[in-house]
Amino acid sequence: MSASFPSSFVVLLASVLKPVDDTRMLGKFAHTLLERPTSQVFVAGRSSFDGLEHHWVQNYFPRLAAHGIFWGSRLSMARLRAQGHYWRLLRVLKPDLVIVHAPELLPLTLLWQALGTGRKFLYDIRENYALNVSTQHVYQGLTRRWLAAGLRWVEGLAARRAAGVILAEESYAVELPFLAELPPGRVQVLENKYQPQPGEALRRQPLPLPPPGEPLRLLYSGTISELNGVWEAIALTQELRQAWPGGAQLTIIGFCQQPALLRQLQGKVMANADWLTLRGGRLPVSHAEIVAEIGRSHLGLLPYRPHPSTERCRPTKLFEYLAHGLPVLSTPNPLWLEVLQKHGAGLPVDFSQPTDAAALVARLKAANFYPNGIPAEALWAGEGKKLWLLLDSLV
């Protein structure tokens, strides 16, 4: 333990739309903070306590507590009420440090800091939010322009006043112009590498592909969207069904934010229930369920369509698949292929074109995945050490 670390240290981790059992906020940040016995951690987010009903409460009670500050749909008035819930937490808990995981909580965090002395916060930049708003066409016209400009302005102001800025992706250091104004020591990259669940024993060797006559099980996990390639995943599985001895099956597991897309997908699943499975969709799925599905699968898919908001990022699911020794079929993104080739973890596939399924099957059978075992660099442990170095510099 650092000699300068206080005997009592209260930290509030806060988001709005992310559930309190969010893998980054709870599974990584809170887990790391709770390694030191003097830490008291409060997690505030979307009301979802399922992830705290098992090992987390048992292992860390009473030093870990969760507060739901948001209930309802993403576009409801409840998002405004969440601001009031967050402000009350700041006043009641009186934290030594706040780690903000959502840009819409920055204005109140800045006000809280201005109204007291010695109040510190870190801003965890999980996405290039202004770029996403500008390019993903969720918002239209002037709304899109003003929202992107407002996000960039408040993030820049917060970054200048924050004790430190954390980046989920290394590329943000170049993409976000306001970071150039900060001293290098105040910016830290903490990628979304895999943090094992409490009690989880990671596999030492990858799961082999099935023998002839058994189905090949493919997995699409995480956010369900066209941009993330859900239709491409289905198309590839259909092609492999004819080429793999024993056929192929696809499990889609995650949350879909687009009702129209979800209805289309549900229709597709109903028409192909013998090989296509959907878990979640309308509601978020617990991370434990996704991890269990990874353990039952033979191939993980990264079928993302090329897009400015994802091309310079390494998806969380990439680290999840690597940590479990799951071979990966990936869009030929140079950043992802660099990692896959380094560890012999997967193959590139052009999901935008019809697949030569027979040739792909031959490549799969000839491949020697993970020849050196599961890569340690896919795990959060190293990122956790960097988080503590940042925290120790603040106290």
Side-chain angles (χ1 to χ4, degrees), residues 20 32 139 146 152 211 259 283 319 342:
V20 293
T32 299
Y139 304 94
W146 282 106
R152 187 59 50 86
L283 297 173
F319 296 116
K342 179 179 179 181

Side-chain angles (χ1 to χ4, degrees), residues 346-373:
L347 301 172
V349 173
D350 187 353
F351 287 89
S352 67
Q353 301 295 327
T355 302
D356 185 339
L360 178 56
V361 166
R363 291 167 63 199
L364 288 169
K365 290 183 176 180
N368 178 25
F369 294 113
Y370 297 97
N372 298 316

Side-chain angles (χ1 to χ4, degrees), residues 168-390:
E169 299 284 349
E170 188 174 355
S171 64
Y172 298 161
V174 177
E175 294 175 17
L176 302 175
F178 55 81
L179 295 178
E181 306 171 15
L182 305 182
R186 285 175 56 194
V187 181
Q188 182 64 264
V189 179
L190 299 179
E191 292 187 281
N192 271 320
K193 298 186 178 182
Y194 184 71
Q195 170 63 47
Q197 301 176 94
E200 179 184 3
L202 291 174
R203 183 185 292 123
R204 294 189 176 184
Q205 296 297 327
L207 181 71
L209 296 178
E214 293 188 12
L216 183 67
R217 296 191 295 273
L218 284 72
L219 177 65
Y220 173 107
S221 63
T223 301
I224 300 171
S225 72
E226 293 182 332
L227 180 61
N228 288 4
V230 65
W231 296 121
E232 285 80 355
I234 293 172
L236 177 68
T237 307
Q238 288 178 301
E239 293 163 345
L240 285 174
R241 278 174 51 76
Q242 308 302 319
W244 184 270
Q249 301 173 351
L250 174 64
T251 296
I252 299 170
I253 181 169
F255 177 53
C256 181
Q257 302 175 11
Q258 302 164 292
L261 173 62
L262 180 58
R263 288 192 295 271
Q264 289 179 295
L265 189 56
Q266 289 169 333
K268 186 75 171 180
V269 170
M270 289 181 63
N272 300 278
D274 57 327
W275 59 270
L276 183 58
T277 301
L278 173 63
R279 297 184 58 192
R282 187 176 62 86
L283 297 173
V285 180
S286 74
H287 190 241
E289 292 180 75
I290 292 176
V291 170
E293 203 60 56
I294 291 174
R296 290 190 285 266
S297 302
H298 298 116
L299 292 172
L301 303 181
L302 296 181
Y304 288 68
R305 296 177 180 177
H307 193 272
S309 65
T310 58
E311 64 183 2
R312 292 181 295 271
C313 301
R314 296 201 287 186
T316 300
K317 70 180 77 175
L318 172 60
F319 296 116
E320 292 176 343
Y321 295 165
L322 290 170
H324 291 90
L326 183 66
V328 179
L329 298 182
S330 169
T331 294
N333 177 296
L335 276 178
W336 312 345
L337 292 186
E338 179 185 359
V339 176
L340 296 179
Q341 291 167 358
K342 179 179 179 181
H343 302 292
L347 301 172
V349 173
D350 187 353
F351 287 89
S352 67
Q353 301 295 327
T355 302
D356 185 339
L360 178 56
V361 166
R363 291 167 63 199
L364 288 169
K365 290 183 176 180
N368 178 25
F369 294 113
Y370 297 97
N372 298 316
I374 310 302
E377 71 174 64
L379 302 178
W380 171 260
E383 307 301 286
K385 292 177 182 178
K386 291 192 290 183
L387 177 58
W388 272 121
L389 287 173
L390 177 60

